[in-house]
Amino acid sequence: MDFELTEDQRAFANTARQFAQTALAPHAANWDAEAIFPREAIAQAGELGFCGLYAPENAGGLALPRLDATLIFEEMAAVDPSTTAFITIHNMATWMLGTWATDVVRAEWGEALTSGQKLASYALTEPGAGSDAASLKTRAELVGHEYVINGAKAFISGAGSTDVLVLMARTGEAASGSAGISAFAVPANLPGISYGKKEEKMGWNSQPTRVINFDNVRIPANHLLGHEGEGFKIAMKGLDGGRINIATCSVGAAQGALTQAQQYMQERKQFGKAIASFQALQFKLADMATELVAARQMVRLAASKLDAGAPDASTYCAMAKRFATDAGFMVCNEALQLHGGYGYLRDFPLERLVRDARVHQILEGTNEIMRVIIARRMLEGDAPEAIR
């Protein structure tokens, strides 16, 4: 068991850090304040390969291990969790299309997405189907050589500003549950697709979030991803990686917050000395660092399990998502506290990191659902020995 990064992994991380400092850090606060979706910066990330990190090579991706991808996402999230989170969602959707699309669709969209010239949204959640994703009602009916799609999706990141939707829709009977769900690649500007207002959110303001409505939207039958009835399986495979991604964004945000707090403690003076000299605050910093390192190692363990195709990879992904997003938010919040009143001002990045990190405990499956997934596995007879 080797916890040290390879030279290649360190190079990936250093490249991502340099990109984050030059392309994201100077603009992140303005993108947040003005709710600007930075397509140009995302395209620059694509030039470095960051928009197709683990997409297959035949779609123009780098086909990197998920572990290597976490190193890149963490560095970017340390300065801009919101934009980085969208890039991780784009990576997930691009990987799904690149892996399961027909040759025709892959040729049309693969390299455009992995290069960052075109962007993808992932459309699973519905107004009435959040944690219970298998109850989704958006329907795709095969009519001749086309699928006709009707329904609605909600809380879709990038909606209205992206170019293709990786969509989950029901092709089976209404009572078919997860077995009746299929996946599709849907161009985002087709007739019959309409977008709701841009949601006003607590955080994640550099990426738009909208409802999407589908009214007799027609797509060629070859836009099906995989086979009919495989959509829920594809969605869950995507979400294993998505949970690692969003956990990594929390680790990155926490690292950025910890760095800010450590520096501020050296500079801020009260009662004639730096606040770093107060043991109560030293202990707070120690706990923040310990939680952060534990979260990072759990995320990397889960990524390694997913890369290895381990049978319990989904459980480890759920554990990493639950722990890292809780710990990451705690670290950001404590860093704000250490800044006192200054942490509450937009002149400092802490309040933005806190707002952006909070939603990580909700999406890609709420942390309550993560506990359900973990508990189900832990109640199986071999779990105490298998999950260690």
Side-chain angles (χ1 to χ4, degrees), residues 20-21 72-81 84 248-249 251-257 259-260 349 352-353:
Q21 291 299 323
I72 293 166
F73 293 145
E74 180 184 333
E75 294 294 343
M76 293 193 291
V79 298
D80 189 354
T84 304
T248 301
C249 286
V251 170
Q255 182 64 60
T259 300
Q260 293 283 331
R352 175 170 53 84
L353 293 176

Side-chain angles (χ1 to χ4, degrees), residues 164-175:
V164 66
L165 311 171
V166 173
L167 173 78
M168 302 298 151
R170 188 165 299 284
T171 50
E173 298 298 323

Side-chain angles (χ1 to χ4, degrees), residues 311-316 318-319 370-387:
D312 283 314
S314 293
T315 304
Y316 283 97
M319 294 170 75
M370 297 304 99
R371 290 178 173 90
V372 170
I373 293 169
I374 299 162
R376 283 176 179 166
R377 178 65 182 99
M378 292 310 301
L379 288 171
E380 296 177 7
D382 67 329
E385 290 300 318
I387 309 297

Side-chain angles (χ1 to χ4, degrees), residues 104-295:
V104 171
V105 171
R106 188 183 298 108
E108 180 179 359
W109 288 102
E111 291 190 7
L113 293 173
T114 54
S115 69
Q117 295 305 304
K118 300 289 185 181
L119 299 178
S121 289
Y122 177 62
L124 172 64
T125 303
E126 296 186 359
S131 294
D132 184 14
S135 68
L136 66 84
K137 293 186 167 99
T138 296
R139 186 151 196 86
E141 296 277 359
L142 184 60
V143 180
H145 298 292
E146 294 181 315
Y147 282 96
V148 181
I149 303 170
N150 286 280
K153 296 293 179 179
F155 299 113
I156 305 306
S157 292
S161 298
T162 51
D163 305 288
V164 66
L165 311 171
V166 173
L167 173 78
M168 302 298 151
R170 188 165 299 284
T171 50
E173 298 298 323
S176 58
S178 63
I181 296 172
S182 299
F184 301 90
V186 181
N189 61 351
L190 290 178
I193 297 179
S194 61
Y195 297 92
K197 68 177 180 65
K198 185 163 68 172
E199 304 287 2
E200 296 184 8
K201 307 189 297 290
M202 174 181 172
W204 272 29
N205 290 318
S206 71
Q207 50 171 295
T209 301
R210 292 183 173 90
V211 168
I212 311 177
N213 294 295
F214 301 87
D215 183 10
N216 291 321
V217 176
R218 293 178 173 270
I219 59 171
N222 66 5
H223 280 47
L224 176 71
L225 301 181
H227 301 286
E228 276 201 8
E230 288 187 337
F232 195 76
K233 183 188 301 183
I234 292 171
M236 293 304 103
K237 285 181 179 292
L239 284 176
D240 278 342
R243 287 163 183 162
I244 291 173
N245 290 346
I246 215 63
T248 301
C249 286
S250 285
V251 170
Q255 182 64 60
L258 181 69
T259 300
Q260 293 283 331
Q262 189 265 0
Q263 294 172 351
Y264 184 77
M265 286 177 65
Q266 306 284 355
E267 299 165 0
R268 175 67 167 167
K269 290 185 169 54
Q270 289 289 274
F271 306 103
K273 52 187 175 181
I275 63 173
S277 64
F278 299 119
Q279 193 173 65
L281 302 187
Q282 293 174 3
F283 285 0
K284 191 181 289 285
L285 194 70
D287 286 343
M288 292 161 63
T290 302
E291 293 289 311
L292 174 55
V293 171

Side-chain angles (χ1 to χ4, degrees), residues 2 4-15 68 71:
D2 187 357
E4 294 301 314
L5 301 180
T6 66
E7 288 189 14
D8 284 347
Q9 289 171 329
R10 291 186 185 280
F12 285 137
N14 287 335
T15 300
D68 292 14
L71 309 177

